[in-house]
Amino acid sequence: MTASLLTTKRIATIDSLPLDCGRRLHDVTVGYETYGCMNAARDNVVLVCHFFSGCSHAAGKYHPEEHVSGWWDAVIGPGKAIDTDRWYVVSMDVLGCIRTDAPHGVTTGPASPNPATGRPYGPDLPPLSIADSVRAQRMVLDQLGVGRLAAVAGPSLGGMQALEWAVSRPAEVDRAIVVASLAEFQAREMGLYRAMQDAIMLDPAYQGGRYDPEHPPVQGLGLAAKLMAILGSGRDALRAVPGRAWADSGRDPRHEKNGAWLVETWLDGVADAKVSTCDANAWLAMLRTNMSWDLAADHGSLEEAIARIRARVLLAPAAGDELVHGPSYHDPLVRALEQAGADYEVCPLPARNGHLAALTDIGVAADAIRTCLERPVLVAR
């Protein structure tokens, strides 16, 4: 049996970080993990970015006896698609990372102390953009002595970060591996995220965002987590399991008030898990960060934005994705890449698990990821 990849949570600090909103954050902390070793030329670094409810624990374990490995362990590690015998992998939290459970809750967000007051930022944390997190990542990489990146990769929100890197810092990125991501949030996605926002803010315990940490708005946060779970799960997977099964074989929910469908108890479990590991204000901040995502905003059009890219791009859309605008949401990216004459490839993920295929089925894209990393990058256009 192959020994588990072991890692630790590390913390970098940034004295002052400028934000897109025009404000600054001071005494910023950023959680990150590393896998493998950086070579002497410092040109084998792969930055991995996480999804909405994730964190920088992308691979391996903290202790050999742990039962669960990082969320992309299927493709990160010795001999895997992102081979840590060859690549030095750095996985980093986004600003406002919603996780508050140890050892993950280390990155500056609403639950962090505001150095100006000593109290948690709460709802006073400035608006955060994906570009802000990329800026923070660049500053941490500078501390690690990393210049150019061999690749930036990630699922969902992580793929948006990869696109932001490739467009805003084209001279610093050789490859962008973009999994189940899109170029902008449109009205449908924004509306869905607004519904999650309302679920949290309408909870009486929310108290305008200044809730007691011992009594957070668990009902609203749990409802938001349920909405995210339904939207992110594949229609085919839910039809099969839990389907129309009863939660208790002895209680028919069609005829008993205390009976429940299995899907109901599954959603309750999802809510309980998220409430125990996430901060409501951070969830809200992350919703707004996603809603503001528009790759074309600072470049005139999507075509002009994509024309800036010099990296090889691997797109791995989730074929059954209903969270981000249906199965054709990546088409505008493909058209823009084609128009730009970019070096790109598309490797669709299976439809069964919907948006979650970016995690559950990433192994399907393993060969495409390996090829993307191993093939020499074309001369810049």
Side-chain angles (χ1 to χ4, degrees):
M1 179 180 295
T2 303
S4 297
L5 181 69
L6 297 179
T7 188
T8 58
K9 183 73 70 177
R10 305 182 184 185
I11 302 175
T13 59
I14 300 170
D15 291 338
S16 181
L17 177 69
L19 304 176
D20 279 356
C21 68
R23 297 170 63 183
R24 282 183 173 268
L25 286 178
H26 299 282
D27 300 332
V28 175
T29 57
V30 179
Y32 71 100
E33 297 180 16
T34 64
Y35 323 96
C37 297
M38 188 161 23
N39 62 18
R42 299 177 181 268
D43 62 359
N44 69 329
V45 181
V46 175
L47 176 65
V48 172
C49 307
H50 67 78
F51 52 99
F52 182 101
S53 60
C55 63
S56 54
H57 190 42
K61 301 177 179 181
Y62 297 126
H63 306 287
E65 64 273 15
E66 284 184 325
H67 297 294
V68 180
S69 299
W71 44 266
W72 253 14
D73 195 75
V75 291
I76 300 173
K80 297 179 183 180
I82 307 176
D83 187 351
T84 52
D85 288 334
R86 176 175 181 182
W87 305 104
Y88 179 60
V89 180
V90 180
S91 180
M92 210 176 300
D93 289 343
V94 295
L95 298 173
C97 178
I98 70 174
R99 298 287 291 271
T100 53
D101 55 318
H104 306 299
V106 296
T107 296
T108 294
S112 305
N114 180 344
T117 65
R119 298 187 297 274
Y121 280 103
D124 296 332
L125 186 76
L128 301 171
S129 70
I130 288 175
D132 292 332
S133 283
V134 169
R135 191 174 300 116
Q137 290 162 359
R138 176 69 271 171
M139 296 172 81
V140 174
L141 290 169
D142 286 343
Q143 295 178 26
L144 298 177
V146 176
R148 191 175 182 87
L149 291 166
V152 184
S156 192
L157 173 65
M160 297 178 213
Q161 294 168 71
L163 284 169
E164 177 65 31
W165 267 97
V167 169
S168 65
R169 298 174 179 272
E172 300 176 28
V173 182
D174 286 336
R175 303 164 184 86
I177 299 172
V178 180
V179 181
S181 296
L182 70 174
E184 65 178 5
F185 260 55
Q186 298 182 3
R188 177 183 177 276
E189 294 79 50
M190 295 169 73
L192 291 169
Y193 276 38
R194 171 58 190 267
M196 288 186 233
Q197 173 183 303
D198 288 351
I200 295 172
M201 297 182 73
L202 291 174
D203 186 326
Y206 181 63
Q207 296 292 311
R210 304 191 189 284
Y211 46 84
D212 181 348
E214 298 299 319
H215 302 283
V218 295
Q219 292 182 332
L221 179 56
L223 180 54
K226 290 178 181 181
L227 290 169
M228 184 72 85
I230 294 170
L231 294 168
S233 299
R235 187 182 296 268
D236 291 344
L238 287 178
R239 185 180 291 117
V241 179
R244 293 189 57 82
W246 304 350
D248 183 339
S249 60
R251 291 181 178 273
D252 184 345
R254 298 170 299 178
H255 307 302
E256 297 189 38
K257 289 184 177 180
N258 292 329
W261 305 102
L262 184 58
V263 68
E264 297 178 275
T265 57
W266 168 70
L267 285 171
D268 288 340
V270 168
D272 289 344
K274 295 302 182 185
V275 164
S276 67
T277 62
C278 299
D279 174 58
N281 276 323
W283 192 289
L284 290 171
M286 194 61 64
L287 289 173
R288 302 307 294 190
T289 295
N290 279 258
M291 290 167 72
S292 69
W293 170 242
D294 181 0
L295 189 62
D298 294 327
H299 305 287
S301 69
L302 178 60
E303 290 72 21
E304 290 174 280
I306 295 300
R308 293 174 52 84
I309 294 178
R310 296 295 176 265
R312 170 180 301 126
V313 177
L314 172 62
L315 296 179
D321 201 331
E322 296 185 4
L323 177 61
V324 287
H325 205 56
S328 61
Y329 61 88
H330 68 289
D331 286 353
L333 274 173
V334 172
R335 289 194 294 269
L337 288 164
E338 189 70 28
Q339 179 177 317
D343 177 11
Y344 79 96
E345 182 181 354
V346 179
C347 176
L349 299 176
R352 175 182 171 83
N353 290 312
H355 191 68
L356 290 179
L359 302 178
T360 61
D361 299 314
I362 190 60
V364 172
D367 287 344
I369 293 171
R370 188 189 305 274
T371 299
C372 179
L373 290 171
E374 290 184 351
R375 266 199 311 120
V377 177
L378 297 177
V379 176
R381 290 172 278 122

